[in-house]
Amino acid sequence: MLHNCDNVLRPGAGFDAVHLQRTFTVQSADLLLTGLAGTLTERIHAEAPHVDVVFLPEAVEGGPGLRQGWVDVELGVLGHLDPEVRTRQLTSATLVGVARRGHPLFDGRVDARRFAAADHIGISRLGRRLGPIDTALAERGLRRRVAVVVPSHTSAMLLARDTDLVALTLDGWLPGTVEALGLRTFPIPLDLAPLELGMAWHPRNSTDPGHRWFRDRLAAAVLAPAGAG
């Protein structure tokens, strides 16, 4: 009876992750999960060997996933959330260009005009061709050609490895992978706002000790992913 009262008055009192048997579902872009899934899994299994993680693509982004319980945590650039959803801002990230190491773009200084003249890879699950980069180029009277659109950052980087197409990635994210693929990053010569990365969850899980523990481990993995420089 005293134990039950303590749980009511102090949610999470006596929580021990080692006894947790649960599967958490995270909705995230493939670029983020590629950098943090390994670190997250290792840290979680060290503390809670019976906890598993399922990563979902952003297919239900902006939908009722959090409200309906299909998704425990949404991770990335947050938008179109239900009004009751809780959020936590994690970090800011800068977009950079990425191309194969021998790309002609690297024969000189990468300015806005030369950047726009290159053929680009668009990354969109919905097939969108235009975005903030195109707006910034238009303000300078420039326009780029988006020669191909792919649904993920992973496929974009592999395509950039084998062609003279230019892709995008996050600054300092997965430098070992960039190096292994024979790619090279460069600053985008435009005034672009940084990407604000955060996590979102439904308020019914706010005081759930297991869910709170998982959110803390997920946040730590985002702030210190495997191989980030």
Side-chain angles (χ1 to χ4, degrees):
M1 187 185 243
L2 290 174
H3 177 72
N4 289 338
C5 289
D6 198 35
N7 283 338
V8 172
L9 296 173
R10 294 190 302 142
F15 171 77
D16 189 346
V18 74
H19 301 301
L20 188 62
Q21 297 187 30
R22 194 163 169 180
T23 297
F24 292 97
T25 302
V26 180
Q27 179 178 287
S28 172
D30 71 311
L31 181 61
L32 288 180
L33 75 87
T34 301
L36 64 85
T39 299
L40 177 67
T41 301
E42 288 180 357
R43 293 176 182 175
I44 281 180
H45 286 175
E47 297 181 44
H50 305 296
V51 168
D52 298 321
V53 183
V54 174
F55 282 97
L56 295 178
E58 297 173 297
V60 290
E61 182 183 19
L66 294 173
R67 177 180 286 176
Q68 298 296 330
W70 308 332
V71 176
D72 284 297
V73 181
E74 183 174 321
L75 180 67
V77 178
L78 304 177
H80 307 292
L81 297 171
D82 292 322
E84 76 273 17
V85 166
R86 305 289 176 83
T87 63
R88 174 183 172 186
Q89 201 271 337
L90 296 176
T91 188
S92 297
T94 302
L95 277 177
V96 293
V98 61
R100 66 178 183 87
R101 199 169 293 126
H103 196 289
L105 194 61
F106 298 126
D107 292 342
R109 187 173 70 89
V110 183
D111 57 17
R113 188 169 297 279
R114 296 186 67 239
F115 175 74
D119 287 342
H120 291 251
I121 302 169
I123 303 169
S124 172
R125 293 175 297 103
L126 303 176
R128 295 192 182 107
R129 301 172 66 91
L130 304 179
I133 285 179
D134 303 279
T135 301
L137 286 172
E139 291 172 353
R140 295 173 176 239
L142 298 171
R143 183 178 179 182
R144 65 173 180 161
R145 178 192 175 200
V146 179
V148 60
V149 178
V150 296
S152 73
H153 289 270
T154 301
S155 54
M157 293 179 73
L158 292 173
L159 186 56
R161 177 194 64 181
D162 299 327
T163 67
D164 277 343
L165 298 170
V166 173
L168 302 173
T169 190
L170 299 180
D171 188 22
W173 193 261
L174 297 174
T177 301
V178 171
E179 178 71 20
L181 290 175
L183 299 171
R184 175 180 168 185
T185 62
F186 60 93
I188 297 173
L190 299 167
D191 294 326
L192 298 174
L195 300 178
E196 299 298 331
L197 302 179
M199 63 167 59
W201 65 95
H202 196 273
R204 67 172 169 272
N205 295 316
S206 289
T207 59
D208 178 329
H211 202 281
R212 186 169 55 209
W213 169 85
F214 178 74
R215 295 195 308 267
D216 288 343
R217 299 308 177 272
L218 181 59
V222 172
L223 297 173

